[in-house]
Amino acid sequence: MSVNVSQNVQAIRKKLGFSEEQVSTYLGVTRSVLRKYESNTDSIPFDVFDKLSNLYGVDMSVFFEENMDVPLPDNLTEELFQTLIKRGYITMKNIQEEYLIANKIAASVHLYQRQNIKRFYFIVNYNCNFRCPYCYENLISNKGKSWSKQIMTYEMADKVFQCMEAIEPDKNKHSKEIILYGGEPLMKDNVEIINYIVRKGSFLGYNFNAICNGYDLELFENLLGKGLIEKLQITLDGDEKYHNKRRFHYKHGGSFSKIINNIQLALNKGVYVRVRSNIDKNNIESVKKLLEEFKTYGFYNYKNFSFYPALLENHATSLINSSLEKHLDFLPTCDFEEISNLFLKRKGDYALLISHAINNKKPIYLQPTHCGANKGIYIFDPVGDIYSCLEVIGMEGQVIGHYDNGLTWTKLYESWKGRSVNKIPECSKCRYALICGGGCSARVIEKGLNTPNCNNFPIVLELNARKAYQEIGMKY
């Protein structure tokens, strides 16, 4: 099939609803010259293709496609045309002007986010009573067992509360939920310090969410409830047989049945319990069995119970416990998006974003950064260091500040908190930038924080868009 480039130039203009006057004005030529371009390919200078590509928001190669001679829809109605202009889908700006506007938006939104809500985490210790094959925390520091077994003291806990006010004097900008993390925060060795932190935090107007394994939870029963520990995230990686292979107590072995009993305890106390399963290729069937078992346990009868699958990722191969690596087989992100539907009617974060925008007739919430690590998250460990991301805690090279002798920041502070798509060269010219946010910072620390982590984002977004539209279609 021969390619009629002039016909393509005209067809694209008409398909997008541009008039001859609008395009000729943009190109700086008369309408008669434009008509010549649209009837005689040999008359079109190369720089005109470049300008039209910018105007129409298409790759230059589109003008040379063979199938563009297929009849195109008639011109858009004036009402629809004006709506598309108003929403920015049709613009008279060139691509460089578009980049500039997108980067200004990213910078503005990021500044607003950094100046608002602050979220605080207590790492009460780095030690854990489990030995999971995919956990990196016991291997990251190479500082020995004595270091990892340090527990946050009362004095250090007091300093954390003081630093929270130093970081943000306006308490209205503090998240009222403090996260307890580890290691394992709710283990037997931590009963006293957790009691102290939770009681003091509650007095100051905070409540708590603990990310834990649930094994020693019964020892913290007195702290479960309104105004204290109100939420728990507990991990089960499948049914009892499979879970006990991957998540076992270092001394007592299998942990499944004890965790199930403690989930029941927390639910009865009115605590919101979110069960997480770390998914790879090996435990898909086992997690499906687990969900069926939840029915037997009666967990779905509680409004304060939920489940979510999480992709198990190997972003630091050297940190995986090699002796237990046989239990792991990592999934690509795009495969996980499909497989997660096997467990429950899960839309995914981006599907929620899209469906919320459509259902509420509001713009999609813009994300100049991937997560709170580049905005308002502050993580305090037991030895006086401050981090921005849970996945790099304990790594000396990722400390953003110190609080043991007053609040001080390192040179890395701005590298983490300043990371935004407008500062990452590849992202600053990417069509997905303000939805993707540049990807996970922890995945690129070896390359540098000004590097993007795309992680198949175009595929993931398309899958989520399909999920969103399928659900919307079912409603109507």
Side-chain angles (χ1 to χ4, degrees):
M1 181 185 296
S2 61
V3 180
N4 190 325
V5 178
S6 292
Q7 186 180 54
N8 287 350
V9 170
Q10 183 185 62
I12 294 171
R13 174 178 65 78
K14 290 184 175 180
K15 184 176 182 180
L16 295 177
F18 284 96
S19 68
E20 287 184 347
E21 183 176 357
Q22 287 174 317
V23 177
S24 60
T25 301
Y26 175 77
L27 294 176
V29 299
T30 63
R31 292 173 65 182
S32 62
V33 171
L34 176 62
R35 292 188 185 119
K36 185 178 179 182
Y37 292 162
E38 293 184 348
S39 61
N40 183 0
T41 301
D42 295 336
S43 68
I44 307 178
F46 180 80
D47 67 311
V48 169
F49 286 117
D50 187 45
K51 290 179 179 179
L52 290 175
S53 175
N54 290 337
L55 174 62
Y56 298 150
V58 299
D59 190 272
M60 198 182 300
S61 62
V62 171
F63 297 117
F64 301 91
E65 290 185 3
E66 293 183 351
N67 62 353
M68 287 300 295
D69 58 356
V70 176
L72 293 165
D74 294 334
N75 286 0
L76 300 172
T77 64
E78 183 62 24
E79 181 182 4
L80 181 55
F81 179 65
Q82 293 302 324
T83 298
L84 293 175
I85 290 177
K86 182 179 179 180
R87 293 185 178 182
Y89 298 124
I90 295 176
T91 178
M92 295 300 288
K93 296 180 177 64
N94 63 41
I95 197 164
Q96 295 303 324
E97 291 172 326
E98 288 281 337
Y99 289 154
L100 182 62
I101 290 173
N103 286 312
K104 283 184 176 179
I105 291 172
S108 178
V109 174
H110 187 213
L111 178 62
Y112 171 80
Q113 292 174 338
R114 287 184 65 178
Q115 291 176 340
N116 279 274
I117 297 298
K118 309 298 189 298
R119 302 184 184 278
F120 303 107
Y121 290 64
F122 281 66
I123 309 296
V124 294
N125 69 330
Y126 283 113
N127 196 21
C128 185
N129 49 7
F130 278 21
R131 297 295 181 266
C132 306
Y134 46 72
C135 184
Y136 55 88
E137 288 189 14
N138 289 329
L139 302 170
I140 56 178
S141 66
N142 294 317
K143 296 179 181 178
K145 292 183 178 179
S146 61
W147 179 85
S148 66
K149 289 186 177 180
Q150 291 185 70
I151 299 173
M152 184 175 284
T153 64
Y154 295 166
E155 180 186 6
M156 294 300 273
D158 288 339
K159 288 182 177 181
V160 172
F161 283 112
Q162 291 169 8
C163 282
M164 287 164 54
E165 292 194 26
I167 289 170
E168 179 50 75
D170 184 356
K171 289 194 69 175
N172 291 321
K173 293 183 179 181
H174 289 203
S175 169
K176 298 308 177 187
E177 180 182 88
I178 292 174
I179 311 295
L180 300 173
Y181 195 72
E184 169 53 35
L186 302 188
M187 60 186 289
K188 183 178 180 180
D189 295 345
N190 299 340
V191 169
E192 291 184 4
I193 187 60
I194 291 294
N195 265 275
Y196 181 79
I197 291 170
V198 171
R199 296 293 181 187
K200 179 166 184 172
S202 179
F203 176 77
L204 294 172
Y206 300 96
N207 59 72
F208 291 81
N209 179 352
I211 300 174
C212 63
N213 59 35
Y215 190 85
D216 285 335
L217 187 61
E218 76 280 3
L219 302 177
F220 300 86
E221 183 177 359
N222 65 313
L223 296 177
L224 301 179
K226 186 71 174 176
L228 300 169
I229 299 177
E230 296 186 357
K231 296 179 183 178
L232 295 167
Q233 178 183 295
I234 297 174
T235 301
L236 290 168
D237 273 359
D239 63 357
E240 183 168 12
K241 182 178 179 181
Y242 194 86
H243 171 89
N244 285 341
K245 289 180 182 178
R246 291 217 308 202
R247 298 182 60 83
F248 51 89
H249 193 280
Y250 80 101
K251 190 175 183 180
H252 303 300
S255 62
F256 184 87
S257 59
K258 195 167 187 291
I259 295 171
I260 291 294
N261 291 337
N262 280 333
I263 290 174
Q264 188 72 67
L265 168 69
L267 291 173
N268 290 337
K269 297 278 289 185
V271 174
Y272 179 81
V273 178
R274 193 180 194 198
V275 171
R276 163 182 171 136
S277 287
N278 295 312
I279 306 297
D280 68 354
K281 293 178 183 178
N282 289 334
N283 69 334
I284 295 170
E285 293 303 317
S286 181
V287 172
K288 289 164 68 176
K289 292 178 183 177
L290 175 67
L291 296 182
E292 289 299 313
E293 291 175 7
F294 285 162
K295 297 178 183 177
T296 304
Y297 302 137
F299 290 170
Y300 292 127
N301 297 328
Y302 291 87
K303 292 182 179 179
N304 51 319
F305 174 82
S306 69
F307 165 84
Y308 83 101
L311 175 63
L312 184 60
E313 296 183 88
N314 184 14
H315 58 89
T317 307
S318 60
L319 303 180
I320 296 296
N321 189 330
S322 57
S323 65
L324 298 172
E325 193 172 355
K326 62 185 178 181
H327 295 301
L328 307 175
D329 193 358
F330 299 98
L331 277 166
T333 306
C334 47
D335 288 352
F336 171 73
E337 290 291 332
E338 294 283 14
I339 290 171
S340 62
N341 288 324
L342 297 173
F343 305 126
L344 71 171
K345 293 180 179 179
R346 176 185 180 274
K347 288 194 291 184
D349 294 339
Y350 296 109
L352 288 170
L353 197 68
I354 294 167
S355 59
H356 181 270
I358 294 173
N359 289 328
N360 293 283
K361 297 182 178 180
K362 294 182 177 180
I364 285 180
Y365 185 68
L366 301 180
Q367 295 282 9
T369 64
H370 180 69
C371 73
N374 308 126
K375 293 177 285 191
I377 286 180
Y378 295 87
I379 305 165
F380 302 89
D381 84 351
V383 299
D385 293 332
I386 306 173
Y387 297 88
S388 198
C389 171
L390 288 175
E391 298 202 27
V392 301
I393 58 173
M395 296 183 184
E396 281 189 355
Q398 301 305 322
V399 175
I400 67 166
H402 306 283
Y403 72 93
D404 53 334
N405 189 25
L407 179 63
T408 59
W409 301 115
T410 70
K411 293 179 180 179
L412 273 178
Y413 175 84
E414 193 56 34
S415 296
W416 275 93
K417 296 304 180 187
R419 186 177 189 263
S420 175
V421 292
N422 59 297
K423 296 181 181 178
I424 303 171
E426 296 90 337
C427 297
S428 67
K429 296 183 179 181
C430 176
R431 69 182 67 187
Y432 303 107
L434 287 169
I435 302 177
C436 166
C440 177
S441 302
R443 304 296 187 269
V444 297
I445 54 175
E446 293 181 359
K447 297 178 181 178
L449 290 174
N450 64 341
T451 306
N453 176 243
C454 302
N455 203 19
N456 294 315
F457 186 81
I459 298 173
V460 171
L461 183 63
E462 181 179 343
L463 292 171
N464 277 269
R466 289 177 182 175
K467 291 179 187 178
Y469 278 97
Q470 284 171 359
E471 183 185 85
I472 292 168
M474 290 173 65
K475 285 184 178 180
Y476 301 100

